[in-house]
């Protein structure tokens, strides 16, 4: 597979037409981020075969292909999306039982809803926008500030809070009666890793501090899934209800391309 960014050398007039000889190995793409913000390229926009992707001068758009490729494109550039079968050298598809396009639709919906939510509260930012350092930047860390599903790998639980935070003494109560009490979350630490993996039979836990209490429903990354494929991971996170973690995963993907 040739990354979409490599096709820029084929510029013809104002457009690059992707042919069968130099086609990208994914037929659909979703916009993860646009820097600076461009109205025509909002996060969540999906491009299908025959669509033209126009990137203005001075703009960098990051696209996620249904084949799992992450493609940063710097303008000025234009591409025509073609429908091409994946090749043996392409990234593996999602291994969670959903086809790539279905996962791509889930990702697109998440990003579109997040953009609309941000716009409704007057927050103008891109998906890649970062605030101060926070444990919530880690896509595999579970927020203790709300009751929601939490996605984990290999039974490992990482807890997160906004900012660096002050010293906190807290407890974790697992479904079934087991508890961890007197845990100390040091000041200046955005995340806290539980000392032992969570047993497979545990389906939820409660994190309690002197100010907050959050019920977390555990979602375990499937053993037959492919962790190297961002489309599969993101689709699974969204379908599992781990929307905050999925957004953090998107920010991580974009940041790695910068």
């Amino acid at each position: 597979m040739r990354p979409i960014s490599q096709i820029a050398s084929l510029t013809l007039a104002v457009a690059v037409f992707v042919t069968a000889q130099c086609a990208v190995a994914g037929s659909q793409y979703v916009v993860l981020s646009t820097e600076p913000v461009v109205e025509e390229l909002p996060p969540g926009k999906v491009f299908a075969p025959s669509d033209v992707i126009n990137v203005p001068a001075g703009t960098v758009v990051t696209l996620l292909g249904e084949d799992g490729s992450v493609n940063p494109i710097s303008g000025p550039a234009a591409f025509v999306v073609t429908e091409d079968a994946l090749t043996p050298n392409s990234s593996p598809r999602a291994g969670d039982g959903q086809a790539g396009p279905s996962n791509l639709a889930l990702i697109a919906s998440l990003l579109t809803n997040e953009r609309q939510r941000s716009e409704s509260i007057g927050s103008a930012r891109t998906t890649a926008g970062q605030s101060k350092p926070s444990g919530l930047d880690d896509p595999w860390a579970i927020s203790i500030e709300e009751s929601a599903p939490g996605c984990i790998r290999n039974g490992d639980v990482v807890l997160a809070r906004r900012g660096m935070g002050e010293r906190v003494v807290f407890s974790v109560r697992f479904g079934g009666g087991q508890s961890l009490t007197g845990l100390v979350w040091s000041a200046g630490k955005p995340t806290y890793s539980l000392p032992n993996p969570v047993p497979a039979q545990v389906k939820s836990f409660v994190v309690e501090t002197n100010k907050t209490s959050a019920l977390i429903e555990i979602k375990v990354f499937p053993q037959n899934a492919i962790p190297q494929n961002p489309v599969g991971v993101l689709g699974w996170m969204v379908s599992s209800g781990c929307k905050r973690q999925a957004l953090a995963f998107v920010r991580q993907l974009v940041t790695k391309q910068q």
Side-chain angles (χ1 to χ4, degrees):
M1 181 191 74
R2 297 186 181 183
I4 194 169
S5 58
Q6 293 182 358
I7 307 175
S9 61
L10 301 179
T11 303
L12 176 62
V14 295
V16 175
F17 292 92
V18 182
T19 67
Q21 287 73 33
C22 54
V24 178
S27 58
Q28 293 192 67
Y29 298 87
V30 62
V31 176
L32 296 184
S33 173
T34 306
E35 290 281 0
V37 175
V38 175
E39 184 176 353
E40 292 77 13
L41 295 170
K45 182 179 178 69
V46 174
F47 290 97
S50 77
D51 287 343
V52 179
I53 307 174
N54 289 300
V55 183
T59 299
V60 178
V61 60
T62 303
L63 304 173
L64 177 64
E66 68 177 271
D67 63 335
S69 62
V70 182
N71 309 281
I73 304 173
S74 299
F79 298 87
V80 173
V81 179
T82 61
E83 187 168 7
D84 295 281
L86 295 175
T87 67
N89 293 327
S90 300
S91 300
R93 283 186 180 271
D96 61 347
Q98 297 191 51
S102 296
N103 280 328
L104 211 69
L106 289 172
I107 298 165
S109 178
L110 171 74
L111 295 175
T112 298
N113 291 337
E114 175 64 11
R115 171 171 52 83
Q116 293 173 346
R117 186 191 68 82
S118 297
E119 291 173 350
S120 71
I121 61 177
S123 174
R125 62 178 180 82
T126 66
T127 303
Q130 297 289 329
S131 58
K132 61 182 180 179
S134 167
L136 304 184
D137 296 332
D138 182 350
W140 293 103
I142 300 169
S143 173
I144 66 167
E145 298 171 2
E146 61 178 350
S147 294
C151 289
I152 67 173
R153 297 175 295 181
N154 304 318
D156 297 327
V157 173
V158 179
L159 304 177
R161 57 181 175 176
R162 295 190 181 279
M164 303 304 283
E166 59 185 16
R167 180 179 182 273
V168 173
V169 178
F170 68 102
S171 64
V172 177
R173 293 188 290 106
F174 297 100
Q178 181 185 0
S179 296
L180 298 174
T181 60
L183 300 175
V184 178
W185 198 324
S186 301
K189 299 291 186 181
T191 60
Y192 184 99
S193 298
L194 296 188
N196 299 304
V198 175
Q201 66 271 20
V202 175
K203 304 302 180 184
S204 66
F205 61 88
V206 175
V207 181
E208 292 183 330
T209 72
N210 60 343
K211 297 179 180 179
T212 63
S213 177
L215 171 63
I216 307 300
E217 181 185 358
I218 299 174
K219 302 293 183 178
V220 180
F221 190 60
Q223 291 185 349
N224 65 339
I226 303 172
Q228 294 83 8
N229 188 292
V231 174
V233 175
L234 279 169
W236 169 75
M237 282 184 168
V238 177
S239 62
S240 297
C242 305
K243 296 181 180 180
R244 183 205 59 77
Q245 291 177 263
L247 290 170
F249 197 102
V250 169
R251 290 193 295 270
Q252 186 180 81
L253 288 175
V254 174
T255 300
K256 287 182 178 180
Q257 303 301 316
Q258 296 175 347

